[in-house]
Amino acid sequence: MNANTATTATIVASHGRAYIVEQADGTRLSASARGKKTDYACGDRVRIKVLNAEQAVIEGVEPRSTLLYRSDQWREKLIAANVTQLVIVAAPVPSFSEELIGRCLIAAEAEDIAPLIVLNKCDLPEADAARQKMAFWRALGYRVLELSAQQQIAPLLPYLQGQTSVLVGQSGMGKSTITNALLPDARARVNEISVALDSGKHTTTHATLYHLDAASHLIDSPGLQSFGLAHVTAEALPGLMPDLREHLGGCRFHNCRHRAEPGCALRAATDQGTIRPDRLALLHRLQDELAAAAAY
Ligand SMILES: Nc1nc2c(ncn2[C@@H]2O[C@H](COP(=O)(O)OP(=O)(O)OP(=O)(O)O)[C@@H](O)[C@H]2O)c(=O)[nH]1
Ligand SMILES: [Zn+2]
């Protein structure tokens, strides 16, 4: 590749303003963003200018099919672009947050990304209670795969085939175990990328894209707890929750916020036990969070 050649590449690792991009022939370069623009994500297709055998500058991003954010208190940080599948990893131990699963599913629905819930550590005696909790999500139509990544990763493989998947989950659910089982040499590559991006410091803050095969890719994003819902409006929220969606249109007021309004179909369904109370409560919390973020 000649110096100063313009071409496209995929971001395979990102950490702050530092990126690693991969060209079509597999060549990897460290890349930085031009100017102050830093909003690129792992999985992005970018236009680059190659500076030399090791370095490139990112000039711009190609249109994204999907985009996921990580949200900390008030900031939305891009985390993964162009993924087709969100793999939510849960386990019987430590106990998982149903609310977090609910939030991840809403983020997936909002971006039209196929969600897959993986209940890992099904070899543990505590698995039965967790299975029962998963029945709720199954009944809503979501796919739930039971797995014991430590014993056998094979049942997950057909779900990853042909997809660009991003793994999310609380700490301790087994994301690293899954990644390591899928990519035995991933740990070495993680270290290599840490060295390139952080001048030797070990970090778990970056997202990394791995190729499982020519058509199947995996983005691992350690520590990811929750996705941002920046593009979602309060009005759109209940339409992203299948159990609530079913009752939309039944409210007396077309602009019902499903709180204290008379004739609210969602509230009626909750009182009748059709909608689980924690789901309506989640809608209200998300509405409040969006309002707070908009006012900030
Ligand atoms: N019994 C059992 N234990 C598992 C399984 N998968 C992972 N574990 C254990 O669960 C613990 C957490 O696994 P990790 O893979 O480190 O979890 P993680 O989600 O990457 O956690 P963080 O690195 O904190 O984000 C480890 O002690 C694993 O050995 C499984 O299928 N069965
Ligand atoms: Zn209502």
Side-chain angles (χ1 to χ4, degrees), residues 178-255:
I178 290 172
T179 308
N180 291 336
L182 290 169
L183 299 143
D185 58 342
R187 202 185 292 274
R189 264 186 276 171
V190 166
N191 286 336
E192 184 187 305
I193 285 167
S194 296
V195 168
L197 291 181
D198 309 297
S199 29
K201 275 180 283 160
H202 180 72
T203 178
T204 50
T205 54
H206 57 260
T208 311
L209 185 147
Y210 302 104
H211 304 298
L212 299 172
D213 60 45
S216 316
H217 315 282
L218 184 73
I219 294 181
D220 186 18
S221 165
L224 185 59
Q225 290 271 331
S226 191
F227 282 127
L229 296 167
H231 286 346
V232 181
T233 63
E235 295 70 41
L237 273 175
L240 302 172
M241 303 170 76
D243 41 348
L244 275 53
R245 181 160 62 213
E246 214 176 296
H247 300 275
L248 288 175
C251 301
R252 186 178 305 166
F253 302 109
H254 78 275
N255 59 350

